[in-house]
């Protein structure tokens, strides 16, 4: 067996043991693993597995790690790129800080923060709940109390926390406490998680200014809560905009169109209220 096939077989074993793998996915993986163990042709068995996974892969209905495996066996290498989590979890330098923001699907929060000068790393994950090491499947079931969020490491010599909060307001709808855009449910609620009193005061002052700006007709409901353990999401979700550019652009366009209309409405409201 060549190195590529050995790697795929190891991936099969890991997915079978992965608690996030659905039972029906695991049954297909076990059947493939058993066939390969019995000496069946490797190429034909992997092709059979790809055929069985394809209908749900097309509908984006595989669990994240199985999606990564599917992209690997179909040759879509961009989907299997691994996020360097060591860069994110390494020792903090004196001039680095962390900020955590939640505002709907975390896929659409990564790119705007990553593109801002002074950003060291952006990690997608889950926070705010009680269950340790939650999986994507568990979080979207709304049973863990977690929300999808991003943790941003930034260089305070280049960018300030106040600037990140201001950017966050531009990316979310702060009047919607039941989710964001097409993402509905408590796991998508908008939250600024603060790590200390300094961040809390900055976030509260910024929220107050936003409310007083009369940009929105409805109340500003984005919560400001103490930061808790931040659990990294599966590799499939990390830097999604780079791995799945076409799908990301469709989602991004929908959010941008809604926000543009909302901001235009706010501009007209302020214009007429001051006249």
């Amino acid at each position: 067996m060549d190195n590529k096939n050995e790697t795929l077989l190891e991936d099969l074993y890991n997915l079978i043991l992965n608690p996030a793998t659905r039972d029906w996915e695991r049954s297909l993986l076990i059947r493939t693993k058993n066939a390969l163990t019995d000496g069946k042709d490797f190429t034909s068995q992997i092709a059979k597995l790809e055929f069985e996974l394809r209908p749900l892969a097309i509908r984006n209905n595989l669990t994240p790690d199985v999606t990564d495996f599917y992209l690997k066996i179909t040759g879509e290498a961009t989907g299997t790129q691994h996020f360097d989590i060591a860069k994110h979890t390494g020792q903090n330098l004196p001039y680095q800080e962390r900020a955590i923001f939640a505002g709907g699907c975390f896929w659409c929060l990564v790119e705007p923060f990553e593109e801002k000068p002074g950003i060291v790393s952006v990690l997608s994950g889950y926070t705010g709940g009680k269950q340790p090491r939650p999986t994507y499947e568990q979080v979207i079931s709304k049973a863990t109390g977690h929300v999808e969020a991003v943790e941003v490491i930034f260089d305070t010599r280049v960018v300030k926390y106040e600037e990140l909060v201001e950017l966050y307001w531009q990316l979310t709808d702060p009047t919607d406490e039941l989710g964001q855009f097409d993402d509905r449910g408590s796991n998508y609620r908008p939250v600024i998680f603060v790590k200390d009193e300094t961040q809390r005061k900055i976030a509260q002052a910024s929220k107050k200014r936003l409310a007083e700006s009369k940009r929105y007709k409805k109340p500003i409901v984005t919560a400001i809560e103490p930061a808790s353990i931040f659990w990294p999401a599966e590799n499939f979700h990390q830097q999604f905009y780079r791995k799945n550019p076409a799908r990301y652009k469709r989602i991004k366009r929908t959010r941008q169109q809604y926000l543009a209309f909302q901001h235009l409405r706010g501009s007209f409201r302020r214009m007429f209220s001051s006249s």
Side-chain angles (χ1 to χ4, degrees):
M1 185 181 297
D2 61 28
N3 291 337
K4 180 181 177 181
N5 290 352
E6 287 182 358
T7 300
L8 289 178
L9 188 58
E10 182 179 346
D11 289 341
L12 276 174
Y13 282 120
N14 289 332
L15 286 172
I16 291 169
L17 296 174
N18 190 331
T21 301
R22 294 194 190 108
D23 289 341
W24 66 267
E25 292 173 325
R26 184 175 289 107
S27 67
L28 295 179
L29 298 168
I30 290 175
R31 189 170 65 193
T32 303
K33 185 266 293 182
N34 290 340
L36 295 176
T37 303
D38 291 340
K40 299 290 181 60
D41 180 69
F42 196 96
T43 301
S44 62
Q45 292 303 314
I46 293 297
K48 180 180 178 182
L49 176 61
E50 185 275 326
F51 176 79
E52 293 170 324
L53 293 174
R54 188 186 309 161
L56 289 177
I58 292 173
R59 297 199 296 272
N60 299 305
N61 200 24
L62 296 173
T63 49
D65 289 338
V66 175
T67 298
D68 270 352
F69 178 76
Y70 179 83
L71 292 171
K72 180 181 288 187
I73 64 178
T74 55
E76 298 182 42
T78 55
T80 59
Q81 294 174 357
H82 281 266
F83 178 80
D84 184 8
I85 197 170
K87 177 182 177 183
H88 190 91
T89 57
Q91 184 178 3
N92 289 338
L93 297 173
Y95 50 81
Q96 290 182 356
E97 287 189 20
R98 294 174 184 253
I100 300 177
F101 301 101
C105 178
F106 43 27
W107 292 347
C108 290
L109 292 179
V110 176
E111 182 190 26
F113 282 110
E114 279 199 339
E115 290 186 339
K116 193 169 184 64
I119 300 304
V120 178
S121 179
V122 182
L123 180 69
S124 296
Y126 317 112
T127 192
K130 301 295 184 182
Q131 181 171 323
R133 298 178 180 82
T135 66
Y136 179 72
E137 294 290 305
Q138 292 169 335
V139 172
I140 64 173
S141 74
K142 303 176 179 60
T144 69
H146 290 289
V147 294
E148 292 189 16
V150 292
E151 183 178 60
V152 182
I153 300 178
F154 61 101
D155 187 330
T156 58
R157 300 171 301 178
V158 181
V159 63
K160 302 302 180 186
Y161 181 68
E162 293 94 323
E163 298 175 65
L164 300 186
V165 174
E166 291 303 315
L167 174 58
Y168 169 76
W169 295 130
Q170 298 171 33
L171 305 174
T172 60
D173 178 0
T175 68
D176 188 352
E177 62 184 343
L178 301 178
Q180 291 286 286
F181 314 103
D182 292 334
D183 306 319
R184 312 312 302 163
S186 58
N187 55 307
Y188 292 121
R189 64 191 181 94
V191 187
I192 299 175
F193 292 96
V194 293
K195 70 177 185 64
D196 55 28
E197 189 61 22
T198 299
Q199 284 193 356
R200 177 184 296 280
K201 288 180 179 179
I202 292 171
Q204 287 177 334
S206 181
K207 179 178 177 180
K208 184 173 183 291
R209 287 194 301 271
L210 184 64
E212 293 173 346
S213 72
K214 297 182 180 179
R215 183 187 301 174
Y216 300 96
K217 185 177 181 179
K218 297 178 181 179
I220 305 300
V221 297
T222 299
I224 298 174
E225 301 177 1
S228 56
I229 297 176
F230 188 89
W231 301 101
E234 297 85 344
N235 177 68
F236 172 77
H237 298 295
Q238 305 301 336
Q239 296 182 319
F240 183 87
Y241 75 97
R242 294 185 180 181
K243 298 176 182 177
N244 300 273
R247 185 178 175 192
Y248 170 72
K249 286 179 181 177
R250 290 194 297 270
I251 300 170
K252 178 182 177 181
R253 187 182 308 116
T254 300
R255 289 178 66 125
Q256 287 181 329
Q257 288 173 342
Y258 179 86
L259 288 172
F261 175 70
Q262 190 180 52
H263 294 164
L264 181 62
R265 244 184 348 191
S267 297
F268 280 123
R269 188 179 304 111
R270 292 194 302 275
M271 182 188 307
F272 287 116
S273 64
S274 61
S275 60

